[in-house]
Amino acid sequence: FHVPEPVDVRKVRAQTKLTRARFAERFGLDSRTVEQWEQGRRRPDKSSETYLRLIEKAPDKVAELIAKL
């Protein structure tokens, strides 16, 4: 049974070249929560971690899908 490494939220956001506020807005997240994840004060729950991994792999596609909601 493989346990993946925790997602590096700061790295995921940095790859998008967005500020924390723009990243949160683009992907429907709370900017304070993103800040807490990045600073290690909180860890994303399993669903959020999966969502962040999707953003990491295909940020434009995820943003496109979010815009359609």
Side-chain angles (χ1 to χ4, degrees), residues 15-33:
Q15 289 174 349
T16 67
K17 297 183 173 84
L18 296 172
T19 64
R20 192 178 288 141
R22 288 286 301 130
F23 180 85
E25 181 183 325
R26 185 172 193 210
F27 297 108
L29 298 166
D30 180 77
S31 61
R32 175 71 55 125
T33 300

Side-chain angles (χ1 to χ4, degrees), residues 10 12-14 24 27 30 34-35 38 41 53 56-58 64:
R10 183 173 281 133
V12 172
R13 182 177 62 81
F27 297 108
D30 180 77
V34 174
E35 176 184 346
E38 288 187 3
R41 286 184 278 158
R53 290 186 190 285
E56 182 177 31
K57 299 289 182 196
E64 177 186 326

Side-chain angles (χ1 to χ4, degrees), residues 56-68:
E56 182 177 31
K57 299 289 182 196
D60 292 335
K61 185 64 175 173
V62 171
E64 177 186 326
L65 292 168
I66 291 297
K68 293 179 180 181

Side-chain angles (χ1 to χ4, degrees), residues 28-58:
L29 298 166
D30 180 77
S31 61
R32 175 71 55 125
T33 300
V34 174
E35 176 184 346
Q36 291 175 341
W37 289 340
E38 288 187 3
Q39 294 178 350
R41 286 184 278 158
R42 290 181 53 195
R43 289 191 59 200
D45 62 20
K46 193 149 181 76
S47 325
S48 298
E49 190 155 310
T50 299
Y51 184 52
L52 290 162
R53 290 186 190 285
L54 289 170
I55 293 169
E56 182 177 31
K57 299 289 182 196

